Amino acid sequence: MTTTMIDLINELWFLRRDIVSDGFDQALHRLAEEVPMRIYAYPSGEPCWTWRVPEKWTCHAAYLETLDGRRLLDYADHPLHAVSYSLPFEGEVSREELLRHLHVHPHQPEAIPFVFKYYVRDWGLCASQVLRDSLTEAAYRVVIRTSFEPGTLKVGEVIIPGESQRSFMLVTHLCHPAMANDDLSGVVVGLDVARELLAGPPRRFTYRMLILPETIGSVAYLSHNEQLIPDMYGGLFLEMLGNDAPHALQGSFQPDSQADRCFKSCFSSLDPTGYTGAYRTIIDNDERQFNAPGVRVPMLSLSRVEAPKSTGRPPYPEYHSSLDTPAIVSAARLEASKKIVLELIDAWERNQYVVNNFKGEVFASGYGIWIDYHINPQGHRRLFEIMERCDGERTVADIALELGLPFHSVWEVVALLQDKNLVWLNPLPQPTAPAR
Amino acid sequence: MTTTMIDLINELWFLRRDIVSDGFDQALHRLAEEVPMRIYAYPSGEPCWTWRVPEKWTCHAAYLETLDGRRLLDYADHPLHAVSYSLPFEGEVSREELLRHLHVHPHQPEAIPFVFKYYVRDWGLCASQVLRDSLTEAAYRVVIRTSFEPGTLKVGEVIIPGESQRSFMLVTHLCHPAMANDDLSGVVVGLDVARELLAGPPRRFTYRMLILPETIGSVAYLSHNEQLIPDMYGGLFLEMLGNDAPHALQGSFQPDSQADRCFKSCFSSLDPTGYTGAYRTIIDNDERQFNAPGVRVPMLSLSRVEAPKSTGRPPYPEYHSSLDTPAIVSAARLEASKKIVLELIDAWERNQYVVNNFKGEVFASGYGIWIDYHINPQGHRRLFEIMERCDGERTVADIALELGLPFHSVWEVVALLQDKNLVWLNPLPQPTAPAR
Amino acid sequence: MTTTMIDLINELWFLRRDIVSDGFDQALHRLAEEVPMRIYAYPSGEPCWTWRVPEKWTCHAAYLETLDGRRLLDYADHPLHAVSYSLPFEGEVSREELLRHLHVHPHQPEAIPFVFKYYVRDWGLCASQVLRDSLTEAAYRVVIRTSFEPGTLKVGEVIIPGESQRSFMLVTHLCHPAMANDDLSGVVVGLDVARELLAGPPRRFTYRMLILPETIGSVAYLSHNEQLIPDMYGGLFLEMLGNDAPHALQGSFQPDSQADRCFKSCFSSLDPTGYTGAYRTIIDNDERQFNAPGVRVPMLSLSRVEAPKSTGRPPYPEYHSSLDTPAIVSAARLEASKKIVLELIDAWERNQYVVNNFKGEVFASGYGIWIDYHINPQGHRRLFEIMERCDGERTVADIALELGLPFHSVWEVVALLQDKNLVWLNPLPQPTAPAR
């Protein structure tokens, strides 16, 4: 009995999923009902490489009132009204003082912004620009009742065991309270991909799908699972997959990695309207921890970012605001993104070194793979261009990029050759040319 | 007593040199009178990697008649009238049925085309477009009396032993019946080159000149001589060397091989009107088998292709037609091509790593190699630019390509330095810089 | 008690500092009073790789007279009037014969040119174009009293011992008689740099500052100190540093060496008006011997060449003429050049591989190195771009070139990280990514 992606979003989006919080735990436990999940708990204060796990944060109440008691905004109405990890504060403040602590959205005058102060602490409230503009009195009353206490940071891990320990990471974050596209859409797509992989036959790679609070969650997981890192051969971060925009594929820090080569050679046939960008040029997320020094897992990222980082504009209009609700997320787009992730994984599984059992050119007509060049000159040429690169030194993706062909066109030929026992696939290079 | 290249063409061109046939054998044996030749015979059915040697094919008679006995075309008049390896067929056929089996040339309305069906078999006749257009009767009588029987595929090999087992391959094919430029011109140039090499002093490399039926001949030879492949350091395929066009040099699959570097750095000074192209961009022939996976001999190709493959036009107007006769081949052009092949081979022999006996800059005036920069500034600069690259890590061709100079200009300086005992030549890199 | 750079120039410039001569020795011994210097003496005839040390040359007298005894030019007035290493000659010569031996400057009609005939010997005098144009008589009397005798070529070496034997070479030549900018300006800058290094704390590298006659001096030194060559990791030739022009940095023969990478990533911030050029494109000097085959020390060159070699113009207007006097050299420019050399050396010392003590991204705010991206988005980005390249596989210069940043900007961040014990520096690569 599985819940659909869109239903999960509708159910969980409004929870107060701050990085270490009851809301986060509640959401994660709900997701764990949908798929077998291991949940790691790292206590507050626990060292994680150069970091430490923060305290659990709870906002008991937060509101702004006029001095005569008219309530202007209330955390009870919307979790974004309090800065995430705001210090507690209670008292009368001058209008000037208030404005220094009252955050608004830079682009959306009607929306409450998402603001967090995890490490550079302060007290703060969030409001729409419209409300802020209406504040003309000399002083206001602020109430922020928050508590910081020892807790545990949670990371959910869905393992899909494969034929080997070599693994591929799917990473999502869950810590954006009361928003839907960023970040819940990536979580549910990752979850559904995991459900699909679990239901299917074993793959060559072990897959690990992670659900965690951004940055500190990845650092906590990696620093407590260092022994797994050398087996991580690639990864994909998932986020912002419900909004109405084409897909964006961001490369890893190592643009020549097989993960990059494989996904880039697939991508344009999976979403012809999509675009690609180099590492750190589209959007930054947890892939940064995986690509970082001492870790160096080639992790790409898939999103529907409309305006890449380099434009200076927000990734999509409702980004980090109270307008990021299920209304901007469509079930069809989630399905389409899930399909693309599954196809990327299929390609990743197939992307091995193509080793020739043959020498010389293959007797194509004898093997029933002849393409008459009078009838299909391009097909004939492609067949031979692919066959002559099956030499144990090139992966499927290498051949695709060398020939400027989509991964899937090369795969079709390679699969045919494999079927005829003319080639076999190997995870490592296996050169067949005579040493000279 | 040697026969000239052009006389050999005149003598042999009209023979029915189908891939496994009495005509092929007759031509090859005649050529074996001109030079010491080993002839390999591979029986029909013999496995050759993914291929098998085909049966011997003989056309006893083939003609087309009107139902009232008027003969419209006859194999006795021209061997191209029958599709090479046509199945036998005898009977009355409707005009429609006939046209499906009657091949014409796509560009030359007056010419009989060269058509072959070695592996995808069918019966067929060939005629001029003009004749075909005149066929207006409702039915015709076809007679094709061919036989398929066990025979032996022949490969001729002329060996010019060198100082080492390392070898260089010269490859030509002989299987184009009743045509002159394609393919006999390449055969006679290769043969004359072989005669010249045999008459000269021993070279560093062993040379092997092959005469064979296209594709299957190369596969048969290579698959039965696998132990020779690791010693094959380079090769050159020869074809279409008699027609009136500049030379075309096609690179190998490994454009950075020393064979490619050497020939490319020579070529423009050997035929200033010539042009070069990457692997598979000018014309495809037996170099494909040598460059293929598991073999990977860097084999270039020299021809006088007018219109490279990429243009979509035929290599030269008379290509694969009854117009490809000795009339389009000139003795002077064959000589010019032979000269170029010999000069390429000279460069290949010289193209070793240049190892410095000296350290620092050479005391040029002390060695009598000073070029006054007031008198010849470019010569002075070139001398020093070449000398400072004589470091045991670069071949003559490497230096030439690095400096954008013709091979021969670099060789002149290197030969002078060698003469003064300032450098020596080594087949392998021999770095002289201190390890740091 | 040290003498300033400009005072040393004023004191020594007019000496007859021919390559092996009493004047050279006198100048070198005077310089040796300023700094601890080892002086090597190589006797005439001594083999130095492909060279031999020339004889000592002395010009006792040289003049040109009309037949009636009017003296037209006299070596006693200016050392450039005699060709350096001129053969002796005495007698009456026709005007025609005289003109073949009377050299003038190609660009400066009023100046006496600097002409030398070290190895292609002849007798010769030098005069201004103006004087030459005034020679209308039929015959003249020439007196050149020179002697060639066994002597010793001198090389001065100032050693600044470092923490390791690995060394960096600073090279200057002193053999241009009666000129100031070329070559004495480079010598005094080198000397002052050496004095400064000797006064400072020990460096990682040992520095060797050489003062020698051009070309043969370098060959003599290197050929007699071969055991030092493998420890020479980089070098800088210094010359023409007093004239009024921006600095020019010429790369070594190995443009990817760390010396090249380090200096090129520094240079534009050290002299924003300066320019860089590839090896042999700005000016040729002793760096040729160090970059040559069998030596291959990556030695760059720093000068104030106005017109690089490629322009075909002289490096500066007064080049190789009697106009190259202290008048065109300024103390301020010598100081500025010295400062740049010292900053290049500082960068060279710092240019090690940056090895991360951390894994993942650094908890920047926890370490007090957080740059708020709302306040300084570019600084924030740069900080992270630099940190993510601290992986034990890149030097400071590698990171600078990869990011298109000046060396010093990268160094600032690296120094900060080093201060926080987040990175350490290593002379060799020390990869920290897991093997995969």
Side-chain angles (χ1 to χ4, degrees), chain A residues 160 192-203:
Chain A
I160 303 101
D192 230 28
V193 165
R195 288 196 287 214
E196 196 104 11
L197 292 175
L198 280 166
R203 264 77 178 177

Side-chain angles (χ1 to χ4, degrees), chain A residues 359 361 363 388 391 436, chain B residues 226 232 280 288 295-296:
Chain A
K359 292 181 183 176
E361 280 190 350
F363 178 32
E388 79 190 357
D391 59 4
R436 211 168 262 132
Chain B
E226 288 205 24
M232 296 179 187
R280 278 190 184 277
R288 286 161 45 182
V295 185
R296 289 286 194 250

Side-chain angles (χ1 to χ4, degrees), chain A residues 51 226 232 280 288 296, chain C residues 359 361 388 391 436:
Chain A
W51 302 67
E226 288 206 25
M232 297 179 185
R280 279 189 184 277
R288 286 161 45 180
R296 287 287 193 250
Chain C
K359 293 181 183 177
E361 280 189 349
E388 80 189 356
D391 59 4
R436 210 167 262 133

Side-chain angles (χ1 to χ4, degrees), chain B residues 9-230:
Chain B
I9 288 181
N10 283 321
E11 182 182 341
L12 302 178
W13 79 280
F14 205 66
L15 287 177
R16 300 162 179 197
R17 296 174 271 109
D18 302 280
I19 53 177
V20 179
S21 68
D22 290 338
F24 186 96
D25 293 0
Q26 187 183 339
L28 188 62
H29 284 106
R30 173 63 190 87
L31 293 166
E33 293 169 12
E34 297 290 321
V35 66
M37 190 185 294
R38 173 171 180 182
I39 295 181
Y40 295 85
Y42 304 106
S44 299
E46 171 89 356
C48 301
W49 288 339
T50 60
W51 301 66
R52 276 176 190 279
V53 175
E55 302 110 311
K56 172 174 135 185
W57 180 77
T58 313
C59 183
H60 305 283
Y63 51 84
L64 176 67
E65 288 183 338
T66 55
L67 294 190
D68 55 6
R70 189 163 47 93
R71 196 153 294 190
L72 299 169
L73 63 82
D74 196 334
Y75 180 74
D77 298 333
H78 202 292
L80 292 183
H81 276 311
V83 162
S84 185
Y85 276 71
S86 170
L87 296 174
F89 181 83
E90 210 150 332
E92 273 188 37
V93 293
S94 69
R95 180 177 172 276
E96 196 183 23
E97 168 80 357
L98 172 64
L99 293 192
R100 277 203 297 275
H101 294 267
L102 184 66
H103 304 276
V104 297
H105 198 278
H107 306 291
Q108 296 281 10
E110 313 273 349
I112 314 161
F114 170 40
V115 179
F116 47 88
K117 302 264 177 190
Y118 303 141
Y119 304 108
V120 185
R121 290 197 175 160
D122 197 2
W123 66 263
L125 294 171
C126 297
S128 71
Q129 183 71 48
V130 173
L131 180 90
R132 186 190 150 126
D133 291 347
S134 73
L135 299 177
T136 52
E137 299 185 24
Y140 291 89
R141 176 169 162 72
V142 167
V143 172
I144 304 178
R145 292 190 192 121
T146 59
S147 61
F148 292 79
E149 57 194 315
T152 55
L153 178 155
K154 303 293 191 309
V155 173
E157 180 190 41
V158 185
I159 303 179
I160 303 99
E163 291 165 4
S164 90
Q165 295 292 323
R166 295 178 166 226
S167 66
F168 185 91
M169 309 302 294
L170 290 162
V171 180
T172 64
H173 59 63
L174 180 65
C175 61
H176 283 30
M179 283 170 285
N181 189 49
D182 177 14
D183 51 6
L184 204 46
S185 70
V187 174
V188 299
V189 168
L191 189 92
D192 230 28
V193 165
R195 288 196 286 213
E196 196 104 9
L197 292 176
L198 281 165
R203 264 78 178 178
R204 291 202 299 123
F205 282 84
T206 293
Y207 290 79
R208 294 176 193 273
M209 205 288 271
L210 303 182
I211 303 173
L212 37 71
E214 190 173 356
T215 304
I216 180 64
S218 289
V219 175
Y221 175 86
L222 286 167
S223 62
H224 285 78
N225 289 285
E226 288 205 24
Q227 79 290 353
L228 297 179
I229 297 175

Side-chain angles (χ1 to χ4, degrees), chain C residues 275-304:
Chain C
Y275 68 98
T276 61
Y279 186 56
R280 278 187 185 280
T281 64
I282 296 179
I283 193 155
D284 289 347
N285 277 291
D286 289 273
E287 77 286 342
R288 285 160 47 181
Q289 305 310 319
F290 287 82
N291 280 296
V295 186
R296 289 287 193 250
V297 176
M299 183 175 285
L300 295 92
S301 133
L302 185 72
S303 67
R304 292 179 181 267

